[in-house]
Amino acid sequence: MKKKLNKFIRVRFAPSPTGPLHIGGLRTALYNYIYAKKTNGIFILRIDDTDKKRFIKNSINYLIDSLKWCNINYDEGYGKKGKYKPYIQSKRFKIYKKYINKLIKNKFAYYAFDKKKTLKLYKKKYKHFIYNSLTRNNLNNSLNINNKIITKLIKTNKYVIRLKTPYNKNITFYDKIYGKITINSNQLDDKIIYRSNQTPTYHFANVIDDHLMNITHVIRGKEWLSSTPLHIIIYNYFNWQIPKFVHLPLILNNKGKISKRNFNYNNLPIYPIKSKYKNINIKNSYEELGFLPESLINIIALLGWKPNINNEIFNINTIIKLFTFKDINKSDVHLNFKKSCWINKKYINKFNNNKKIFFLLKQYLIFNNIDHKDKLLNKIINLIINRIKLININDIWYNCYYFFIIPKKFYIPLKLKYYIIYNKKIIIYLFFKIKKFFKNKPNKNKIILFFKKLQISYNDYYFFLKIIRISIIGELKGISLFDIFNLLNYKNIIYRINYFKTIIFNNYK
Ligand code: GLU
């Protein structure tokens, strides 16, 4: 039986187009999406663009591209049909005007005419200066001036409208992550909620829209937690129902909180996808580094949320099933590049990305004039795919270069160096014997038998195989030697072994 749509739960992602979406914003979008899906609710995208000064062209386009790439679909909102249109605040100014007038009329907001300079001076003079019930009677605002002068001043267009916060009142609200929070209104500022150019500020527009759009849960970053008491006051002044609040822990990189202005991330990407837009310059993104959208979703879901089970690889459906606000941590979360790569690796394998890898590898080989056969490439990719962390040519090449080029540099661990120095005789003997062995396709059993027949010790067997690995690959890494032997021809193997032999015997005389 199909579940009924629960129209009651309505959540929104409300980004400001002040720069490209980063993964902090993406996580907010994702958690909203997950919660809507989990509750059969509605997920809304609203663009909060009241701050024209900080507007950056194409950031809405980049945002939409990113959500699409991650497959985070919204039900209602910007660019889509919906009952609560328009879903972009710059097209809703008439609505805000109506509500600001109501607040003024009911004396919950007032005009303020103070010069910026004067306020700066106050802040300098009184360290903890706050514009509110304790100070506003001595400042230049409509509460202290007679009506005639007010009308005159309003005409000069040099005013702002401030929220009249109550005197000495405890504002209490409950956040689903941070619990009960109480703040005394004397600690709050009479925030500017409307400007003389007839535009609202974020705090005001946000409350009006959340109410008019019937938002039931406000899920957003912790940076907004301290503004919530102010929003509660506005809700109360209008006598509106207050939505539930869910503030998500901050995401930190090695330099502190990630933000649109914090570009210094030491290789840790903070943007989801590359940019198609000239004015949005993204140097490093998850997409370009070779992350898959499915794994990025998994990585981002785990930024703060930790389900009580012993697994960290989940697809979106499992995340939706498991997700609860209870499992979100209060503490700030750190981006972890190593873990992100580990998650991506799991997805690369799972989703059979051979074709993508084939394409990148082939392109690279052609570009570098390296001989290759498609059949061989496919075999190699099958062997190395479970080692690839990122679908980019650097990582692919790192895992398979030795099939295409003969190593000329060798990394020999110290222990092995000593073994070589003290066991030259046996090494020369084994080098001599092993050549024959490579004539027939070698496998593990054959090689064990081969060494057994020679009656050499386990120690020699152990070190000699390492020597062979280094001669083929250049260092102690890579897939099974026997798989490599199967793909390289006899001449090639012997050439590498001989080359390495001369190198070690010249160096370790
Ligand atoms: N427009 C705000 C932002 O840029 C949204 C905050 C909220 O969700 O209330 O993040």
Side-chain angles (χ1 to χ4, degrees):
M1 211 175 77
K2 254 192 174 177
K3 270 194 201 165
K4 263 197 190 163
L5 204 66
N6 175 4
K7 286 233 170 76
F8 182 62
I9 290 196
R10 294 176 56 85
V11 294
R12 87 313 188 252
F13 173 48
S16 300
T18 53
L21 174 80
H22 58 64
I23 55 162
L26 192 60
R27 184 201 48 186
T28 305
L30 179 65
Y31 283 17
N32 273 286
Y33 169 80
I34 292 170
Y35 191 63
K37 285 278 163 277
K38 192 173 179 81
T39 54
N40 289 311
I42 301 284
F43 173 43
I44 297 151
L45 173 70
R46 185 179 73 223
I47 306 295
D48 279 7
D49 62 339
T50 51
D51 191 351
K52 280 287 165 213
K53 270 190 212 138
R54 286 180 55 211
F55 178 80
I56 294 203
K57 211 177 112 195
N58 286 322
S59 37
I60 302 180
N61 291 331
Y62 180 82
L63 165 96
I64 305 268
D65 295 347
S66 303
L67 294 181
K68 264 198 194 138
W69 191 74
C70 293
N71 217 358
I72 302 177
N73 302 313
Y74 52 98
D75 305 298
E76 207 181 291
Y78 180 78
K80 284 195 179 178
K81 282 185 184 158
K83 210 167 138 189
Y84 302 91
K85 256 176 136 175
Y87 292 93
I88 180 161
Q89 292 187 326
S90 54
K91 297 249 157 74
R92 299 173 63 81
F93 288 154
K94 266 191 196 158
I95 302 175
Y96 309 124
K97 191 170 171 80
K98 184 175 132 198
Y99 286 96
I100 199 71
N101 286 341
K102 270 192 187 176
L103 276 193
I104 295 255
K105 205 175 142 209
N106 292 332
K107 301 211 167 7
F108 290 134
Y110 59 91
Y111 294 96
F113 311 101
D114 314 82
K115 288 200 171 116
K116 273 188 186 155
K117 239 186 183 173
T118 325
L119 294 179
K120 245 189 185 171
L121 263 168
Y122 274 116
K123 277 184 189 153
K124 236 184 175 179
K125 206 167 162 191
Y126 311 104
K127 249 191 180 168
H128 302 290
F129 172 78
I130 309 181
Y131 201 126
N132 67 7
S133 57
L134 306 175
T135 54
R136 64 180 163 236
N137 290 343
N138 300 319
L139 292 155
N140 192 8
N141 54 54
S142 55
L143 303 171
N144 311 318
I145 314 172
N146 79 42
N147 279 349
K148 258 193 193 163
I149 303 181
I150 294 173
T151 325
K152 233 184 182 178
L153 281 172
I154 291 174
K155 275 194 188 141
T156 64
N157 255 358
K158 283 194 178 132
Y159 67 87
V160 292
I161 297 178
R162 288 181 181 269
L163 185 73
K164 193 174 161 199
T165 56
Y167 169 70
N168 198 18
K169 198 176 165 199
N170 279 343
I171 317 280
T172 297
F173 68 97
Y174 183 83
D175 182 85
K176 281 198 180 288
I177 313 292
Y178 293 92
K180 189 176 163 187
I181 294 173
T182 301
I183 286 209
N184 186 281
S185 61
N186 287 0
Q187 283 169 271
L188 298 174
D189 203 26
D190 283 359
K191 271 263 174 346
I192 297 175
I193 52 173
Y194 206 77
R195 308 177 191 100
S196 51
N197 65 1
Q198 310 297 305
T199 64
T201 61
Y202 154 75
H203 301 289
F204 187 67
N206 171 268
V207 169
I208 303 297
D209 287 346
D210 284 348
H211 170 75
L212 294 179
M213 293 180 182
N214 277 325
I215 300 301
T216 56
H217 293 68
V218 170
I219 307 171
R220 61 185 173 197
K222 189 183 153 194
E223 62 271 31
W224 300 106
L225 189 63
S226 58
S227 306
T228 308
L230 190 94
H231 300 169
I232 305 259
I233 295 175
I234 305 179
Y235 282 107
N236 286 339
Y237 281 168
F238 282 112
N239 213 359
W240 285 342
Q241 193 181 338
I242 296 169
K244 297 206 163 51
F245 291 103
V246 187
H247 286 93
L248 308 173
L250 293 182
I251 303 176
L252 306 174
N253 65 11
N254 4 8
K255 300 271 172 184
K257 176 183 168 296
I258 61 163
S259 80
K260 287 169 192 155
R261 279 161 275 186
N262 182 355
F263 287 102
N264 210 339
Y265 39 74
N266 283 351
N267 276 335
L268 258 161
I270 61 166
Y271 298 109
I273 58 170
K274 54 186 174 224
S275 160
K276 297 193 278 206
Y277 313 100
K278 261 194 188 150
N279 70 316
I280 294 191
N281 181 13
I282 283 171
K283 292 197 194 103
N284 196 6
S285 71
Y286 281 87
E287 179 190 19
E288 282 158 293
L289 268 185
F291 280 86
L292 300 171
E294 294 81 3
S295 50
L296 185 60
I297 289 291
N298 193 152
I299 291 162
I300 287 180
L302 291 175
L303 291 176
W305 171 71
K306 197 179 183 311
N308 204 1
I309 58 169
N310 226 349
N311 186 10
E312 293 200 289
I313 307 289
F314 322 98
N315 65 22
I316 185 71
N317 292 332
T318 316
I319 297 173
I320 292 169
K321 236 189 240 161
L322 295 173
F323 190 84
T324 67
F325 293 133
K326 261 194 240 130
D327 290 333
I328 296 178
N329 276 322
K330 280 193 184 77
S331 34
D332 298 342
V333 272
H334 283 266
L335 291 176
N336 182 335
F337 194 55
K338 223 174 156 187
K339 183 171 163 189
S340 305
C341 288
W342 174 79
I343 294 176
N344 199 45
K345 188 172 151 192
K346 301 269 175 194
Y347 279 87
I348 291 175
N349 243 309
K350 201 165 140 188
F351 288 126
N352 192 359
N353 279 278
N354 299 42
K355 264 193 194 155
K356 277 189 204 160
I357 298 172
F358 180 92
F359 174 77
L360 288 173
L361 184 57
K362 188 159 175 83
Q363 204 182 30
Y364 181 82
L365 293 169
I366 293 172
F367 188 79
N368 288 289
N369 268 329
I370 300 174
D371 248 5
H372 62 275
K373 286 200 176 85
D374 287 359
K375 216 172 146 190
L376 182 71
L377 287 197
N378 278 320
K379 282 185 184 165
I380 293 171
I381 291 167
N382 274 333
L383 291 171
I384 61 159
I385 190 157
N386 61 357
R387 292 170 171 257
I388 291 181
K389 294 191 197 88
L390 298 166
I391 303 195
N392 69 39
I393 190 59
N394 288 340
D395 198 33
I396 297 167
W397 189 242
Y398 172 84
N399 280 294
C400 69
Y401 65 87
Y402 48 85
F403 286 107
F404 306 99
I405 52 171
I406 293 172
K408 291 279 147 78
K409 268 188 184 164
F410 301 97
Y411 299 97
I412 312 170
L414 203 61
K415 237 182 166 179
L416 192 60
K417 272 184 191 162
Y418 283 121
Y419 174 81
I420 294 170
I421 292 168
Y422 294 113
N423 295 280
K424 269 186 205 154
K425 253 192 191 164
I426 181 90
I427 297 173
I428 292 175
Y429 172 68
L430 288 176
F431 267 136
F432 173 73
K433 287 282 179 190
I434 197 106
K435 281 182 195 164
K436 241 195 208 163
F437 172 77
F438 279 117
K439 280 212 154 148
N440 303 316
K441 285 283 171 211
N443 65 31
K444 197 163 186 180
N445 291 337
K446 275 189 202 166
I447 211 158
I448 292 174
L449 212 75
F450 169 79
F451 281 113
K452 227 181 194 175
K453 271 189 191 158
L454 295 178
Q455 290 190 328
I456 60 157
S457 70
Y458 175 75
N459 200 46
D460 290 331
Y461 165 75
Y462 173 82
F463 278 114
F464 191 66
L465 275 189
K466 284 192 187 292
I467 290 174
I468 296 291
R469 179 176 287 279
I470 294 180
S471 68
I472 304 286
I473 296 176
E475 56 185 298
L476 283 178
K477 68 165 203 189
I479 60 168
S480 141
L481 264 185
F482 302 100
D483 286 335
I484 302 174
F485 295 154
N486 275 326
L487 295 187
L488 293 178
N489 63 38
Y490 172 73
K491 259 190 181 166
N492 194 325
I493 296 173
I494 299 303
Y495 177 86
R496 293 185 194 212
I497 291 178
N498 281 340
Y499 182 75
F500 187 58
K501 197 173 91 181
T502 51
I503 294 275
I504 54 176
F505 290 133
N506 282 341
N507 283 343
Y508 307 138
K509 272 179 192 156

